[in-house]
Amino acid sequence: MFRFEDPIYLYLLAVIPLLFIVRWLMQRQQKRRLRKFGDPDLVRQLMPDVSRLRPAVKFWLLLGALALLIVMLARPQMGTRISHEKRTGIETIICMDISNSMLAEDVTPSRLDRAKMMVENLVDHFTNDKIGLIVFAGDAFVQLPITSDYVSAKMFLSGIDPSLIATQGTDIAAAITLATHSFTQQEGVGKAVIVITDGEDHEGGAMEAAKDARDKGMNVYVLGIGSTSGAPIPMGNGEYLKDNSGQTVMTGLNDAMCRQLADAGGGAYIHVENNSNAQEVLDSELDKLAKKEISSTIYSDFDEQFQAVGILVLLLLVIEVCILEIKNPLLKRVSLFRRGPKPVAVVLLLLMAVTAGAQTDRQLVRQGNRQFRKGNAADAEVSYRKAVEKQPRNAQANFNLGNALMAQRKDSLAVTQFEKAAKLETNPLRRAQAYHNIGVMCQQHQMFGEAIEAYKEALRNNPADDQTRYNLELCKRQQKQQQQNQNQQNQQNKDNKDQKDKDNKDQQQQQKDQQKQDQQKQDQQMSKENAEQLLNAAMQEEKQTQERMKKAQQKAQRRSLEKNW
């Protein structure tokens, strides 16, 4: 495949026919002047060394060199290289819920936007892994087949919106089933299905789908996003979604279902809140998966071909210089110098063209600036990275690369670039701007301590920056408010713990009192039974005693009678 990187220079080829017309007119005028001197045949005999063919050949050589020079300025590129690389990593398919309930703003900025930020940060941490993207609501479809092209993944991610699926609902089972059929056939590699949802109004069958995925060797991780208390669904016009009776619809996280789903899928359940804890837990869980060598198809850029064109131009110019206008070269050896500085000028032009064809870091920065102004932050990032590769100590390239990354919400990478730019920058104003941008991103992520230090460093370099000073004061207030909220939360947790301990003690005391009462009742009951047993024993013994006494009396009377007789 052949293409031109800067095809706008090809319009200069229109100069070629104009030069041909100019030369033709000049030849006609020259013939007319020769006729004034006399017969053309006689004049030709008076100039035996003049050649009619050589000037034409020299002209066409110069014209061809000029045409090739213009082609070289257009930067011809030929061929695409598709290489198959071996990488060690895992395969991950993300199933993202895009139902209307994901528009709720109980997490900042919204459930859907928060999910996008997590996926983008996850992609930024990937190096040798593959990723796929599935969106679902009442139905599910593949948004991005599994790939190693992270740039495409971010492009598809930015276009996700609830309007992509008209059927509302939360059919998690369909998404998991579709994900199990979207992995590669390679065995032994860790495969993860990450379901990002609020779990509300699910269609059923999700547990069976998660168990089936686990049986196939795929771990199902669930990111529950939202609060269990619920939140209204904004409609984008300042109002909230209402039901048929006119009541505002409240949507909450189905925490229990998400936990059950993660247990059935053999993965982990992670609750997403307004902090980075969920991201860290997810990265830790994915690191536990088995990694294996993965075959990836990598697309490389076009190869520059201006060097070959430059060699042709140089060859044509050398030939043009060697061809003299006279027929006898032995008598006109210095004719090269008589013709003036034209060859030298052409050679200098050639060198300038070769220099222009090989883009410098400054040219790449300017190219990235044009792309950034047009809103193509991803393309601008590529240009800035090329500039940094050519000159790593180019502070402007590093700073602009940070801006391109920040525009794409690659905040962690942007902070790294701004720090590098600040170290390389010698201009205090531009260094202050780098620290200001670092502070803004840290403040957005509620990292108030880091933001305050960045703002202070910016003011040290530019004390007159009122915007940085305002952000610094605002950040201090936000940090104070965060600490107060944290203290209140800690105090509330402590009070809850004390109350819980007190309740446990009261409950234990009540249990002891109840056991004592039960023991007393049991003792009383046993005493009564013992008394009855003793009474019965005494009565039985008394009865036996009376019987013995009666028998004794009867025996005494019998002996007395016998004696009297």
Side-chain angles (χ1 to χ4, degrees), residues 248-267:
T248 301
V249 177
M250 300 294 292
T251 172
L253 170 65
N254 192 343
D255 188 80
M257 190 280 298
C258 292
R259 292 182 183 274
Q260 295 173 3
L261 184 63
D263 293 338

Side-chain angles (χ1 to χ4, degrees), residues 77-90:
Q77 297 176 342
M78 183 177 294
T80 59
R81 293 179 298 177
I82 300 179
S83 59
H84 299 276
E85 296 184 0
K86 298 293 184 179
R87 299 181 173 186
T88 302
I90 63 174

Side-chain angles (χ1 to χ4, degrees), residues 195-208:
V195 180
I196 305 178
T197 181
D198 53 16
E200 190 178 43
D201 298 331
H202 62 95
E203 304 293 338
M207 304 302 170
E208 291 76 9

